[in-house]
Amino acid sequence: MRRIRANAIAILTVAWILGTFYYLWQDSKPATAASAPSSVGNHHQGGGRLEIHRDDRTIPLIVSQPPRGEHQDLLLGGLDENKYLDAKQLKPGDDPYREHAFNLIESHRLGAQRPLRDTRHYRCASLNYDVDLPSTSVIITFHNEARSTLLRTVKSVLMRSPPQLIHEILLIDDFSADADDCQLLTQIPKVRCLRNGRREGLIRSRVRGANSASAPILTFLDSHCEVNTDWLQPMIQRVKEDHTRVVSPIIDVISLDNFAYLAASADLRGGFDWSLHFKWEQIPIEQKMARSDPTQPIRTPVIAGGIFAMDKSWFNHLGQYDTHMDIWGGENFELSFRVWMCGGSLEILPCSRVGHVFRKRHPYDFPEGNALTYIKNTRRAAEVWMDEYKQYYYSARPSAQGKAFGSIADRLTLRRKLNCKPFRWYMENVYPELRVPEQEAVSSILRQGTLCLETRGMDGLGLAECKVVRGSRPQAQRWELIEPLIRQRDLCLAITLFTAGSKVTMEPCNAKEPRQKWKPKGSALQHTVSGLCLDSQSTAGPLVIAQCRPLVASQAWEPQIIT
Ligand code: UD2
Ligand code: MN
């Protein structure tokens, strides 16, 4: 008897579970093809709700087909696509990776458009968006992009966005070799082309685009993207609800070898290490556990940088970009810190997907060199936004010390005017997972030929033969160069008076004390406020500050990192 009852309970339980699954499936499955109006393609606007009709039930295999026929001509205007694409052909024997760092043959083979697999979570398809969403100006900057990837970017936007939301597509041609790459595309309705008279880099190019945009929302894209089904509505919806949100899609991967479109993980957010190197990282486990709805936005400490939407007035209010940053790199940190610290937020929207060709190298040249440019840009971001935490940036990237980064006065004024929170707030509230490194700064000796700067007694300083005692340098000759300080343990190099000839001593460190602020100037060490340079005069005499004289031996200090 008891066994029969147990069996009955087991059967009922199984039936209940199956029933629940069936119910959930019924609820989420897409409408059948029979209800789709055949003339409108796969998007149908009705009753204030964007419905997506598909005739395929196996959701992961759904592809979003571009509309065909007349509809397409209306969207795309008079451009002869084949002529546009075929004008640039590889010669037999040419390396297909050479010019763009991706396989140009494969890209060309795909042509101007292609169907894409809808990589979103199936629940995204049943979300509703407002009928009266504001429109956007899409801004795409490029320097010598391949025609096939550029055209696919533009076409995918026109074909996979509700037309009323695309006010215009602004192409900023950053002084590419062939002006026709951009110009010919203006035959497509809504496409405008702005050509720079000289190479500006992506940061100033985007600002130029933003300044001539006329829609209330700005959407930035790289020039080798393909947007996926309903990519735009989730972003505009979030920005419409709160203009201080800066939103980006999940960035899917387009293979640089065969151009396959691959879904990216939906559990990632943007992060970085202290050298200001961007990386994707798992969302922290507590946040992951708390996520019951996979369509919900993901808060992110930083964005990758290339693909995001933002309210135009908010973009302008927050100071656009730092236009003293050149070519590529660092602007994503600067924007991310600024947005969080000055009252906004950053999020990744899982229901918006955009494919991007990730490359292993830059296919273009950097007039000042790649490394120096990255250092200049990230140094500007660190100097303006990272407060006392910038020392960890310098420890992680010692080569950044002493490299030129121009004046940041305007950006500091902006930070003050916007009344932004300190970086400590960002660390505590936005990115507590970023660990502060153990306080072990890099030590150097400061050489002048065979002599080394050393401390003597309480606050004395002098030059002496560089020594090695039992395999390591004596403490008196070890220095930590953490701008603006030149420190040894808790004491720092300081001037006594702000005039030439004034003696230099050691005193307790204080990064805000003007007498302790130094910066490298060529091979000299310059006192920032007086503009005078550290001078050893003679080996016997005291250390002083004197008028900077480039190439004078008593002012040349060669830092050499020691262990
Ligand atoms: C990522 C971002 C990129 C930017 C960069 C950091 C994504 C998908 N991409 O690098 O947008 O934030 O990190 O700076 O998040 N370009 C110019 N002028 C130049 C150099 C580049 O217009 O002098 C264009 C280029 O054609 C491309 C865009 O800027 O459309 C970004 O350059 P990228 O694709 O080489 O950068 P990526 O994806 O490695
Ligand atoms: Mn890119």
Side-chain angles (χ1 to χ4, degrees):
M1 200 44 197
R2 195 180 287 157
R3 178 174 306 150
I4 291 175
R5 205 161 65 215
N7 280 346
I9 291 174
I11 288 167
L12 280 174
T13 313
V14 169
W16 180 76
I17 292 171
L18 287 175
T20 311
F21 271 123
Y22 180 73
Y23 174 80
L24 285 175
W25 175 71
Q26 278 292 315
D27 193 39
S28 60
K29 76 176 181 176
T32 54
S35 61
S38 53
S39 58
V40 208
N42 59 349
H43 286 184
H44 167 58
Q45 194 91 37
R49 170 173 171 211
L50 188 86
E51 291 176 49
I52 298 154
H53 300 285
R54 292 159 173 151
D55 49 11
D56 184 347
R57 283 189 174 189
T58 47
I59 298 169
L61 293 176
I62 289 169
V63 292
S64 86
Q65 289 284 358
R68 300 227 161 72
E70 273 174 47
H71 186 54
Q72 200 179 117
D73 293 344
L74 267 178
L75 278 180
L76 301 171
L79 176 73
D80 184 339
E81 291 173 352
N82 291 335
K83 199 169 151 205
Y84 176 77
L85 294 174
D86 291 342
K88 295 271 176 71
Q89 288 274 29
L90 269 183
K91 286 176 216 57
D94 283 355
D95 173 2
Y97 290 84
R98 192 182 57 88
E99 238 182 304
H100 303 284
F102 56 63
N103 189 338
L104 191 58
I105 296 179
E106 283 301 316
S107 179
H108 191 266
R109 207 200 307 274
L110 279 181
Q113 73 205 59
R114 61 161 158 172
L116 289 183
R117 185 163 75 88
D118 182 350
T119 49
R120 295 171 301 168
H121 190 279
Y122 69 88
R123 268 160 69 179
C124 295
S126 50
L127 294 184
N128 297 324
Y129 304 104
D130 295 354
V131 264
D132 58 344
L133 288 177
S135 68
T136 185
S137 298
V138 177
I139 298 173
I140 303 171
T141 77
F142 69 95
H143 175 71
N144 289 342
E145 184 59 67
R147 285 189 171 192
S148 50
T149 35
L150 181 61
L151 178 58
R152 268 200 305 281
T153 308
V154 171
K155 281 195 74 174
S156 75
V157 168
L158 291 169
M159 292 183 318
R160 293 202 186 87
S161 315
Q164 73 279 12
L165 296 190
I166 304 294
H167 178 73
E168 62 193 339
I169 299 182
L170 292 172
L171 301 177
I172 320 299
D173 171 1
D174 190 13
F175 200 52
S176 302
D178 183 353
D180 278 351
D181 293 353
C182 190
Q183 204 49 54
L184 289 171
L185 294 181
T186 59
Q187 294 171 65
I188 303 174
K190 297 189 183 176
V191 175
R192 287 170 53 201
C193 169
L194 303 174
R195 180 172 162 85
N196 292 341
R198 59 164 195 208
R199 179 88 175 278
E200 298 286 357
L202 73 92
I203 297 116
R204 288 191 288 279
S205 302
R206 280 186 195 161
V207 170
R208 180 170 182 204
N211 286 339
S212 63
S214 45
I217 293 185
L218 306 175
T219 304
F220 295 94
L221 283 178
D222 273 11
S223 48
H224 31 259
C225 290
E226 285 167 77
V227 303
N228 211 322
T229 315
D230 293 346
W231 70 296
L232 190 57
Q233 299 93 314
M235 294 204 281
I236 297 194
Q237 179 78 42
R238 290 294 288 177
V239 176
K240 181 191 170 202
E241 285 165 7
D242 177 348
H243 73 280
T244 67
R245 288 178 187 147
V246 176
V247 296
S248 50
I250 291 185
I251 307 181
D252 285 333
V253 176
I254 300 174
S255 159
L256 65 99
D257 294 311
N258 59 17
F259 277 75
Y261 187 101
L262 309 164
S265 160
D267 299 323
L268 300 176
R269 63 175 195 176
F272 58 91
D273 61 23
W274 287 108
S275 69
L276 291 186
H277 171 81
F278 176 86
K279 59 183 183 193
W280 297 105
E281 61 183 31
Q282 290 288 329
I283 358 186
I285 189 78
E286 321 80 68
Q287 277 177 46
K288 206 159 158 177
M289 303 287 274
R291 274 175 74 78
S292 52
D293 178 358
T295 67
Q296 283 301 101
I298 299 167
R299 272 164 55 101
T300 185
V302 290
I303 52 171
I307 311 178
F308 65 96
M310 186 167 180
D311 182 278
K312 188 174 64 186
S313 315
W314 182 237
F315 179 78
N316 290 333
H317 173 77
L318 280 188
Q320 304 190 319
Y321 271 121
D322 177 353
T323 50
H324 286 95
M325 290 188 176
D326 301 325
I327 308 298
W328 178 97
E331 92 296 341
N332 54 329
F333 296 111
E334 198 271 344
L335 178 77
S336 299
F337 298 159
R338 185 154 44 88
V339 167
W340 278 116
M341 290 162 62
C342 312
S345 62
L346 290 178
E347 51 191 39
I348 296 173
L349 306 181
C351 290
S352 177
R353 295 262 183 173
V354 173
H356 169 258
V357 187
F358 287 92
R359 292 176 287 203
K360 297 198 182 94
R361 65 172 171 88
H362 298 289
Y364 39 76
D365 63 298
F366 286 67
E368 314 275 324
N370 170 351
L372 274 184
T373 306
Y374 198 71
I375 282 175
K376 173 180 174 188
N377 294 354
T378 52
R379 232 192 132 172
R380 292 183 67 84
E383 286 289 338
V384 175
W385 296 102
M386 289 173 71
D387 302 330
E388 69 272 24
Y389 290 84
K390 71 182 177 193
Q391 61 171 306
Y392 305 120
Y393 162 77
Y394 288 113
S395 309
R397 209 180 260 281
S399 56
Q401 298 194 33
K403 300 281 169 21
F405 63 98
S407 164
I408 51 169
D410 290 356
R411 299 307 279 182
L412 290 172
T413 308
L414 171 78
R415 181 173 167 178
R416 252 193 313 278
K417 194 189 87 198
L418 294 173
N419 200 10
C420 306
K421 300 189 182 82
F423 198 75
R424 174 176 297 280
W425 175 89
Y426 173 88
M427 288 293 293
E428 284 166 4
N429 296 280
V430 182
Y431 203 12
E433 294 77 20
L434 178 62
R435 295 261 69 91
V436 170
E438 300 283 307
Q439 279 288 15
E440 101 184 39
V442 216
S443 305
S444 313
I445 49 171
L446 285 170
R447 306 183 73 106
Q448 257 180 18
T450 59
L451 300 179
C452 275
L453 181 66
E454 67 168 30
T455 46
R456 291 171 187 164
M458 276 300 283
D459 54 3
L461 280 160
L463 274 183
E465 205 66 39
C466 299
K467 295 187 201 76
V468 177
V469 182
R470 268 174 263 113
S472 84
R473 303 281 176 178
Q475 184 57 46
Q477 293 187 353
R478 300 177 81 101
W479 298 92
E480 280 153 21
L481 304 161
I482 304 170
E483 261 199 78
L485 302 175
I486 302 179
R487 65 191 287 165
Q488 195 173 88
R489 293 220 166 109
D490 298 331
L491 297 183
C492 283
L493 208 63
I495 59 167
T496 40
L497 292 167
F498 291 85
T499 46
S502 151
K503 207 178 135 206
V504 177
T505 60
M506 296 295 288
E507 61 178 38
C509 296
N510 172 5
K512 294 218 165 74
E513 170 55 61
R515 288 180 297 103
Q516 296 183 15
K517 294 191 175 187
W518 302 87
K519 64 176 187 211
K521 183 187 189 188
S523 58
L525 290 169
Q526 184 180 36
H527 181 254
T528 328
V529 185
S530 65
L532 301 168
C533 282
L534 184 66
D535 198 311
S536 65
Q537 279 186 333
S538 72
T539 48
L543 242 77
V544 295
I545 40 168
Q547 211 63 50
C548 296
R549 283 175 297 154
L551 306 179
V552 163
S554 63
Q555 292 187 3
W557 301 97
E558 186 197 342
Q560 182 184 326
I561 293 176
I562 53 175
T563 48

